[in-house]
Amino acid sequence: MRTSQLTLPASQCEQFRKAIAPQTRAWLRLCRAATNATSRYPAIKSIDVEFAHLVNKGQITTAAAEVCLLAEDGSVLLNSYICPDIPAAPSGFDWIGGVTVKQYTDAPALKVIQQQLTTLLEGSLLIGYGLSKDLSSLRLHHPKAMQKDLIRYRKFQSSTGQARKLQEISQQFLNYSIQAGEHTAREDAFAALQLYLQHVRNDPALMTYQELVDYELHNLPILLSEDTG
């Protein structure tokens, strides 16, 4: 069945909007009271983990050895090396890459970092690139609905749907060069945060249904305020 689009003159559209504005404002107040929409915007935080790569008798072990957690404004909430939590081996482990032994020597144990992160992440929307891997390495659980793993977004993937390096994406979308020298968790967490804030958060095509509803409710008062007075 074919449908046609009805186009009204701009003057009639404006009259109609002004006519329904009072009812719409009343409806909005009811919606906010019923859904508590004003509290639906959780704190946004970004995380990144760097790893130490160790080997014992040909068996390579990768363990979380550095973590950084940033607030939405880029301020540091936690930035620490981590003493890798790996099983003891009679002959010990040899370092082959990543965070160095010198950097993580005397660093807090993973359990200590877990406790700090659990408190800091409560109720937060967590951003990351390769977030599932990072959380797994920290042995942390965070609600799926409160995770934004940018590695899963098609716009940041290759033409064949493969994951790309964060370094490449940052250069393309942010014109921001990372990992040029020393590779740090803070630098990657900041890049992921900016990618989300600038290219994901306000893109309706990338929102969940509830996020889209909240987004429209949040922006509706801006439109209605033009009619006040």
Side-chain angles (χ1 to χ4, degrees), residues 201-226:
R201 180 170 64 172
N202 293 323
D203 186 346
L206 300 178
M207 294 179 185
T208 65
Y209 172 77
Q210 187 59 61
E211 286 172 340
L212 188 58
V213 170
D214 293 341
Y215 177 77
E216 294 297 338
L217 285 174
H218 179 72
N219 286 286
L220 190 55
I222 299 175
L223 297 175
L224 295 178
S225 64
E226 298 174 3

Side-chain angles (χ1 to χ4, degrees), residues 101-123:
V101 176
K102 181 179 180 180
Q103 289 173 319
Y104 67 68
T105 296
D106 299 326
L110 177 60
K111 186 175 182 179
V112 174
I113 298 297
Q114 286 174 330
Q115 293 171 345
Q116 294 176 352
L117 286 172
T118 297
T119 300
L120 289 168
L121 291 177
E122 185 175 0

Side-chain angles (χ1 to χ4, degrees), residues 40 45 47 54 72 80-81 99 115 121 129 134 148 162 169 174 190 207 210 217 223:
R40 284 186 177 274
K45 296 172 185 176
I47 196 170
L54 310 166
E72 182 177 351
S80 176
Y81 289 113
V99 179
Q115 293 171 345
L121 291 177
Y129 192 79
D134 287 351
K148 295 293 181 183
Q162 301 300 309
I169 299 169
L174 303 174
F190 183 77
M207 294 179 185
Q210 187 59 61
L217 285 174
L223 297 175

